[in-house]
Amino acid sequence: MKIAVLDAYTVNPGDLSWQPLQDIGELTIYPRTTPDVVVERCKDIDAVLTNKVVFDKHILNQLPKLKYIGVLATGYNVVDIDTASQQGITVTNIPAYSTASVAQMVWAHILNITNQVAHYAEENRHSRWTKCPDFCYYDYTHIELAGKNIGIVGLGNTGKAVARIALAFGMNVLAYTSKQTLPTGITSVSLENLFKNSNIISLHCPLTTATHHLVDNTRIALMQTNAILINASRGPVVDDSAVAKALHEGKIAAYGADVLTVEPPQPSNPLLTAPNCYLTPHIAWATIEARTRLIQTAINNIRAFIEGRSVNKIN
């Protein structure tokens, strides 16, 4: 079997091994693949692993030999599932490999915003504390989480992990979810009530036509002016321009995000220069532990496919 990894670098920049995958078949690894060379690199390939390289109908129609697409992520919107199914191509994904890591990043953003750890560390590199006439100083209002309301949009694996941590902080957890039975301590509310009543809102919903720009000017208008918004789901769930405008106008207190609508962002993205906006470059998933699980699951998926078994199959 001929196997190609099309965008290997982000998953494995060199600190992990591809050897178990090499043991399965004839492996070609590409650190990156641009859209114009996808067909050329895949035309004689049986199985391909992709993270962000797109396989739309136009691409798939040019790959009659392709039998397997392993998406190196939980989300699989980079593949036209209907066309893949019509052509007999099996598509798999990697579910829940980064749950703990993404939840950890969510709270890194929340704690940085509420306690301003990065700000004070940087200030003290420039002698701010050593020149202070008092034993301490603070130029931000610090926020205690206990007793505050956190609203979680989407209560899948990551949403539930974020909720468990919130409960440990003594917070009240509100959730907008289709689930009928909720874990103890979590209250189901409407989306409108969640936006109105939450001190912190954390987004954990998939990107669909229904959730595209779920956070727009209308929903921002429902939020408290001291509310914090966190996005560790998908960039287009949020209207970047609407959030940047809200930050400039003081309609919300802060925005912490690990994702943007276009990645990497254009220099003109208004969030890059918005006040109280804290961005990380889509790295919540990328702890070494999560990436190790991802690669091992990808190998297990393709082994199962070769053996005629169905593991983590999307279609």
Side-chain angles (χ1 to χ4, degrees), residues 192-274:
E192 181 177 354
N193 284 337
L194 185 146
F195 272 81
K196 282 182 176 179
N197 297 314
S198 298
N199 304 105
I200 299 171
I201 296 172
S202 192
L203 305 173
H204 298 286
C205 49
L207 177 60
T208 66
T209 53
T211 62
H212 183 269
H213 283 189
L214 180 138
V215 181
D216 56 9
N217 288 318
T218 300
R219 292 219 166 86
I220 289 170
L222 298 174
M223 295 173 65
Q224 303 172 24
T225 56
N226 64 351
I228 296 166
L229 177 65
I230 305 292
N231 186 10
S233 57
R234 289 292 182 265
V237 171
V238 163
D239 181 338
D240 291 352
S241 296
V243 172
K245 183 173 182 286
L247 290 167
H248 279 289
E249 296 177 353
K251 292 182 179 177
I252 61 174
Y255 180 51
D258 189 56
V259 289
L260 288 175
T261 299
V262 177
E263 298 171 346
Q266 297 295 316
S268 59
N269 188 306
L271 288 172
L272 296 174
T273 54

Side-chain angles (χ1 to χ4, degrees), residues 13-284:
D15 53 355
L16 298 171
S17 174
W18 291 110
Q19 185 59 50
L21 196 57
Q22 291 173 324
D23 295 339
I24 293 175
E26 181 184 333
L27 178 65
T28 304
I29 295 176
Y30 300 102
R32 299 170 183 85
T33 296
T34 55
D36 57 306
V37 297
V38 174
V39 173
E40 179 63 28
R41 290 182 173 181
C42 297
K43 64 182 182 180
D44 295 317
I45 294 296
D46 302 298
V48 66
L49 301 184
T50 177
N51 191 318
K52 292 293 184 285
V53 176
V54 172
F55 284 82
D56 58 18
K57 183 175 183 177
H58 175 70
I59 295 291
L60 290 172
N61 284 341
Q62 300 178 71
L63 301 173
K65 293 185 179 180
L66 189 64
K67 297 302 178 188
Y68 177 91
I69 301 174
V71 181
L72 297 173
T74 302
Y76 46 88
N77 55 299
V78 296
V79 180
D80 182 330
I81 299 298
D82 290 338
T83 301
S85 299
Q86 291 167 11
Q87 295 182 197
I89 300 171
T90 294
V91 183
T92 65
N93 74 335
I94 317 288
Y97 74 95
S98 63
T99 298
S101 296
V102 175
Q104 181 176 311
M105 178 63 84
V106 167
W107 285 98
H109 274 286
I110 292 172
L111 293 172
N112 181 58
I113 291 169
T114 56
N115 291 85
Q116 291 293 317
V117 174
H119 163 72
Y120 288 111
E122 184 62 26
E123 286 287 283
N124 293 335
R125 290 189 184 95
H126 300 288
S127 303
R128 177 77 182 274
W129 199 6
T130 60
K131 296 176 181 178
C132 182
D134 305 303
F135 77 93
C136 72
Y137 71 91
Y138 44 94
D139 45 18
Y140 278 85
T141 299
H142 300 167
I143 300 167
E144 185 176 275
L145 294 174
K148 299 291 192 301
N149 293 342
I150 182 170
I152 298 175
V153 180
L155 206 62
N157 291 319
T158 307
K160 285 189 287 188
V162 170
R164 287 192 294 270
I165 298 169
L167 291 170
F169 273 112
M171 301 185 74
N172 306 309
V173 180
L174 312 177
Y176 176 69
T177 176
S178 60
K179 291 180 171 58
Q180 299 300 310
T181 303
L182 302 184
T184 301
I186 301 176
T187 302
S188 178
V189 297
S190 69
L191 196 59
E192 181 177 354
N193 284 337
L194 185 146
F195 272 81
K196 282 182 176 179
N197 297 314
S198 298
N199 304 105
I200 299 171
I201 296 172
S202 192
L203 305 173
H204 298 286
C205 49
L207 177 60
T208 66
T209 53
T211 62
H212 183 269
H213 283 189
L214 180 138
V215 181
D216 56 9
N217 288 318
T218 300
R219 292 219 166 86
I220 289 170
L222 298 174
M223 295 173 65
Q224 303 172 24
T225 56
N226 64 351
I228 296 166
L229 177 65
I230 305 292
N231 186 10
S233 57
R234 289 292 182 265
V237 171
V238 163
D239 181 338
D240 291 352
S241 296
V243 172
K245 183 173 182 286
L247 290 167
H248 279 289
E249 296 177 353
K251 292 182 179 177
I252 61 174
Y255 180 51
D258 189 56
V259 289
L260 288 175
T261 299
V262 177
E263 298 171 346
Q266 297 295 316
S268 59
N269 188 306
L271 288 172
L272 296 174
T273 54
N276 301 317
C277 184
Y278 305 89
L279 304 175
T280 46
H282 205 143
I283 53 172

